[in-house]
Amino acid sequence: MIAPNKYIIIFSVVFFTANSGTSGAQSIRTIDRDILESINGIDNPIINGYSSVMSTSAVILSIGLPASMLIYGGYTGDNEMVHQSVTIGASVATSVLISYFLKNKFDRARPYQRYPSNIDARTTENSYSFPSSHSSVAFALATSVSMEHSQWYVIAPAYFWAASVGFSRIQMGVHYPSDVVAGAILGTGSAFFCHELNNWLFPVQKKKPDVSWVNFVYER
């Protein structure tokens, strides 16, 4: 299990590498900006609407899904669902807390603020850019749900949605690709951390084998 402070170290190394003065880092920044401009340059009413919906859904689903599970589980007496909702909610909350700590730590300007003549701002934000908190909560939710329900028909749509959220943030001009990648790593890591912590705090009790039939046969 990786402690949260180790996540911060990992993300710090990635960010400082991408923003250092070396020629390799310069190439990374160039690629980052090229991808940003290519995706942001997609100006289509359908894609614009899709990005807007996906971006908004990150906040709605990351709060609404665990909350709905908690309410429904509590109402029906489904303790397992209540337990899952708490774990999923904790994963999302952890990703939010760490992402906003990193935003204030690195003070990275939004793409549309740094390159106003090259990047179209299809929405605006008040916080800093690195990492993408929308991407972090989306991947935290997708990973956490996938760990609770490991069927392919849950995993595939969950990660497709999370990737769409990341795409939307670049297309709308509010994040660099590196912000989204960092957010995805953060969200995934937060989910793994919370699930490991949950397993440590509340270990699953293995069911004892039912040997009643053995006693029955023996008595006969």
Side-chain angles (χ1 to χ4, degrees):
M1 178 168 40
I2 302 176
N5 62 319
K6 291 188 178 180
Y7 288 132
I8 296 172
I9 293 173
I10 292 171
F11 302 139
S12 299
V13 170
V14 171
F15 182 75
F16 279 127
T17 299
N19 290 274
S20 61
T22 64
S23 58
Q26 182 63 41
S27 299
I28 293 174
R29 289 200 301 271
T30 300
I31 294 172
D32 201 29
R33 182 176 172 181
D34 288 345
I35 296 174
L36 164 66
E37 291 182 355
S38 296
I39 296 177
N40 178 253
I42 302 173
D43 189 8
N44 177 285
I46 296 177
I47 300 299
N48 292 346
Y50 181 77
S51 292
S52 179
V53 170
M54 289 298 103
S55 181
T56 303
S57 71
V59 178
I60 295 175
L61 287 181
S62 64
I63 297 173
L65 181 59
S68 299
M69 291 174 65
L70 179 63
I71 294 171
Y72 181 81
Y75 178 76
T76 59
D78 189 339
N79 292 329
E80 183 178 357
M81 180 172 289
V82 170
H83 192 74
Q84 289 178 358
S85 71
V86 173
T87 305
I88 294 171
S91 300
V92 172
T94 299
S95 71
V96 170
L97 290 174
I98 298 178
S99 66
Y100 274 94
F101 170 81
L102 292 173
K103 282 178 182 291
N104 293 314
K105 188 75 173 177
F106 294 116
D107 300 347
R108 190 182 198 185
R110 298 277 180 174
Y112 68 86
Q113 295 171 329
R114 187 170 183 181
Y115 306 108
S117 60
N118 300 89
I119 301 300
D120 292 328
R122 297 185 174 92
T123 187
T124 57
E125 300 287 350
N126 295 323
S127 59
Y128 294 109
S129 188
F130 180 88
S132 168
S133 56
H134 280 69
S135 299
S136 71
V137 298
F139 276 89
L141 184 62
T143 303
S144 193
V145 169
S146 296
M147 293 180 75
E148 295 290 351
H149 305 279
S150 57
Q151 298 86 356
W152 70 267
Y153 52 81
V154 173
I155 297 173
Y159 279 104
F160 178 80
W161 168 75
S164 295
V165 171
F167 168 86
S168 74
R169 303 302 287 171
I170 301 172
Q171 197 266 341
M172 296 172 77
V174 291
H175 280 297
Y176 299 89
S178 56
D179 298 338
V180 170
V181 171
I185 295 172
L186 170 59
T188 302
S190 296
F192 274 100
F193 170 77
C194 288
H195 277 259
E196 288 296 321
L197 180 61
N198 174 69
N199 291 336
W200 178 68
L201 292 174
F202 307 101
V204 177
Q205 298 294 328
K206 294 183 178 180
K207 294 183 179 180
K208 295 181 179 180
D210 184 6
V211 295
S212 58
W213 66 273
V214 176
N215 295 331
F216 175 78
V217 171
Y218 179 76
E219 291 172 357
R220 296 281 293 178

